[in-house]
Amino acid sequence: MRGNIKNQHQAEFVKCIQKFGGKYQTWEIYADFISMFACAISNGIDRVHFKQREEMYMQIIRKYTKNEQPIFSEMAGHVINGMEENRDCDFLGELYMELGLGNHWKGQFFTPYSVCKAMAILQIDDIERKIKANGFASVNDPACGAGALLIAFANTAAEKQFNWQNQILFVGQDLDAVTAKMCYIQLSLLGCAGYVKIGDSLAKPTTDTEAMYEMTMTNENSCYWFTPMYFNDVWNWRRMFHMFDNH
């Protein structure tokens, strides 16, 4: 770990990892936490993928003792509280890099949040024009990492006082399962409507048609993670109209 963590909730998160006493590698604890947290969010509303993700959750949690298991709840609390205190940041992405978990072989050098915010500010007028023309707009990051760019768009839209939860669809994709789930967790906690796909965006990019199929059909190997806000009535109607348009 680099030792530069300044955010109190991120620091408390690190202390939780230290409670395992070196029994597991930091990467293993972090990856297991991310998978379980993502499963817990998904299973709160996504009934189509419930069985698959409940099995994933149980397979992971069984690795840990009864005294160790509650530590993961503490970790989740620090993420939630940290993002509530300051939503205008890449909480998990910053923590991931400070813990030294970036995989250099995969080119995991996350774009600083300040750069993502500048990019969002430059593009927000185009998003606004699309909203006025179509009623909503979509933002897609095919190499989303922990979701910094999508988070920056959400925060910039909120600052512009858009009804961004109903007007912007957030779509992310990443080859790395852990970082993709990090993006999913952060978008979900911020109340963004959308989904994240785990997979190679060059070989098999996400499509609306594929996403709609994955949302309604049971697939034990589904690589799509749909945020809770994407299940609200506004987006349900939009999906229905989209299906009619394609027929």
Side-chain angles (χ1 to χ4, degrees), residues 3-12 14 91 94-95 98:
N4 296 325
I5 293 179
K6 297 179 181 179
N7 182 289
Q8 181 61 32
H9 291 289
Q10 290 173 334
E12 292 298 325
V14 173
F91 185 94
E94 292 171 2
L95 183 58
E98 288 296 339

Side-chain angles (χ1 to χ4, degrees), residues 20-37:
F20 289 94
K23 185 177 176 181
Y24 313 92
Q25 293 292 322
T26 298
W27 164 254
E28 181 180 9
I29 296 170
Y30 187 89
D32 285 345
F33 164 74
I34 291 298
S35 289
M36 288 192 291
F37 197 4

Side-chain angles (χ1 to χ4, degrees), residues 163-231:
N163 183 5
W164 55 273
Q165 290 180 314
N166 291 336
Q167 293 178 327
I168 302 179
L169 177 68
F170 296 86
V171 179
Q173 183 168 349
D174 203 280
L175 182 62
D176 185 273
V178 174
T179 56
K181 291 173 191 172
M182 288 161 58
C183 178
Y184 170 73
I185 289 168
Q186 296 199 113
L187 291 181
S188 296
L189 293 180
L190 288 172
C192 297
Y195 49 86
V196 179
K197 179 183 179 181
I198 301 170
D200 189 337
S201 59
L202 293 177
K204 195 174 181 182
T206 182
T207 65
D208 290 342
T209 301
E210 183 182 59
M212 295 308 97
Y213 178 84
E214 291 286 340
M215 192 172 190
T216 57
M217 302 298 291
T218 302
N219 179 0
E220 292 183 359
N221 299 312
S222 177
C223 53
Y224 277 85
W225 294 74
F226 300 94
T227 68
M229 186 58 67
Y230 195 45
F231 289 84

